[in-house]
Amino acid sequence: MQLHSLRRITAIGGGHGLGRVLSTLSFMKHKLVGIVATTDNGGATGLLRESQHCIAWGDIRNCLSQLVEQPLAAEVLNYRFDCTSSLHGHNFGNLLLYTLDQLSARPLDGIQLLSRLLNVDNRILPMSECPTDLIATTNDGIQCHGEIRIDKLPVMPRKLSLSGSVTATPEAIRHIRSSQLILLGPGSFMTSVMPPLLINGVRDALRTTQAKVVFIDNLVDENGPAGKLSLAEKVGFIEKQLGKQVIDLVLSNKQEKDLKLPVIGGLQSDEDVYYRHNTSNLLAKLEEAAKQLLVESA
C-alpha cells in the first residue's frame, strides 16, 4: 500500500524532527496530522511561558515554518528579536501564535487560523491545550522539573510524567484512532518524542488504535543519557511508559540482535545538516515501511 492512498497518517513528536517528517509528507495535505509536544521551557518559548503561563509554542511554530512554501514566510515565523529591542530573546512566530490564541476560544483555533493564512493544508495539533511541564523521576526518587534540567541529567530517569492535570486535545485522540499509520520521532527522545505519549488520552488511543506504528530513529546519537540508549532500550522505555508494546517497525541505521522488531536501514542525512534526515530518502523508507506493514484494502 502506498502512502498517498492512506486515509490518515499521524506523526507525533516535536522540535525539528517532527517538522522534517511533516515536510516530507506534506503532499498528503489534510490526510497528514502532526501532534506536537508542548512542554518546552527553554529559549524564546521559555520566556513566553514564564511570563504568560501558556503552552509551549516553539515546536508548533517550527513545524509550520517547515510546511510553508514561501521562504520569506518561514523567515518571518522564525525571526528572533535582537538585543536592541525590548522584545530581546522573543520569537515573532511564538508571539503571533500566542496573540491568535488570546483572540480565539482555544489554542487550536489560533493554530488553524495561522495555518490558513500560510496556506498550510496539513493539520497541526498541540498534544494538549493545557500548560504543562515535563517531570523526570530519577532512580533515587528525586523529581526533576522542566526540559532544560531533564536534558542535563547524567543518566536516564526511572520514569517521565507531566505536571498538573493534563488532557489531550480531543482532535488528536480522534486522529490517532482513525489513522492507518502513526509515526514517532525522530528528535530528542525524552523531550520531543515522549511528552505526547505521557497523556492518558494519547496513551489509551495508541494502545487501542488499529494503526501500524513506526519509530523513526535519529541519524546521530543525541547528547545526554538518551543518546546512550540502544534501539531496544528506547523501544522498551516507550513500552514501559505506555504499558504496552505499540511499535511495529523501526527506521534506523542500527541493527541490534536484542530488538525483536523489523528494522529498515539505509537512512541518509541532509546535505546541509548532517543530523537531519534527507527528505527524499526518508519518503522512500516510509513508503517501504507502509508496503511492509499495510495490506491493500479490498
Side-chain angles (χ1 to χ4, degrees), residues 48-258:
L48 190 57
R49 291 196 66 194
E50 184 178 355
S51 63
Q52 303 300 325
H53 190 60
C54 57
I55 67 171
W57 293 107
D59 286 356
I60 295 170
R61 180 257 310 160
N62 195 316
C63 289
L64 287 171
S65 72
Q66 293 193 57
L67 287 170
V68 294
E69 295 182 358
Q70 292 294 331
L72 179 58
E75 289 185 27
V76 169
L77 285 175
N78 292 325
Y79 179 79
R80 194 176 299 272
F81 294 93
D82 60 28
C83 59
T84 62
S85 168
S86 60
L87 294 173
H88 171 57
H90 283 285
N91 174 282
F92 176 77
N94 293 356
L95 294 174
L96 178 57
L97 282 162
Y98 171 73
T99 301
L100 292 173
D101 175 31
Q102 296 303 297
L103 297 173
S104 306
R106 51 188 295 214
L108 182 56
D109 293 339
I111 296 169
Q112 290 179 323
L113 175 57
L114 184 55
S115 296
R116 288 196 296 271
L117 292 173
L118 296 171
N119 292 320
V120 172
D121 295 322
N122 317 115
R123 193 155 197 203
I124 304 297
L125 305 175
M127 69 177 202
S128 174
E129 296 176 281
C130 311
T132 183
D133 285 304
L134 188 64
I135 300 174
T137 302
T138 69
N139 293 321
D140 297 326
I142 299 172
Q143 286 194 337
C144 181
H145 289 249
E147 289 190 7
I148 298 300
R149 291 176 178 172
I150 291 172
D151 276 335
K152 296 178 181 179
L153 287 174
V155 296
M156 281 294 293
R158 185 174 73 236
K159 71 172 184 177
L160 295 170
S161 59
L162 298 172
S163 64
S165 178
V166 185
T167 56
T169 302
E171 291 84 352
I173 297 174
R174 185 170 71 245
H175 285 302
I176 291 173
R177 288 176 173 162
S178 64
S179 290
Q180 290 170 280
L181 186 66
I182 294 173
L183 309 174
L184 304 178
S188 300
F189 184 71
M190 285 195 291
T191 57
S192 290
V193 179
M194 288 305 305
L197 310 186
L198 303 175
I199 305 175
N200 288 335
V202 172
R203 184 164 54 228
D204 293 342
L206 284 170
R207 286 171 176 165
T208 57
T209 183
Q210 296 301 306
K212 297 298 182 181
V213 180
V214 175
F215 177 74
I216 306 173
D217 194 23
N218 295 329
L219 292 171
V220 178
D221 290 336
E222 61 184 288
N223 295 325
K228 301 175 184 178
L229 296 179
S230 66
L231 267 179
E233 288 171 332
K234 288 181 181 178
V235 171
F237 191 87
I238 292 174
E239 178 181 3
K240 183 178 179 181
Q241 299 293 305
L242 294 179
K244 181 182 179 181
Q245 176 59 272
V246 301
I247 297 173
D248 299 291
L249 182 145
V250 175
L251 298 186
S252 177
N253 288 336
K254 298 177 181 178
Q255 298 290 331
E256 298 178 3
K257 294 181 180 179
D258 293 338

Side-chain angles (χ1 to χ4, degrees), residues 257-295:
K257 294 181 180 179
D258 293 338
L259 184 63
K260 308 303 180 183
L261 289 172
V263 178
I264 294 177
L267 298 173
Q268 298 174 6
S269 62
D270 183 77
E271 292 182 358
D272 298 322
V273 186
Y274 69 93
Y275 53 83
R276 292 182 187 166
H277 289 75
N278 176 282
T279 53
S280 298
N281 172 261
L282 179 58
L283 177 58
K285 298 304 176 181
L286 289 172
E287 289 279 11
E288 185 178 341
K291 291 178 182 178
Q292 185 169 327
L293 292 173
L294 302 170
V295 179

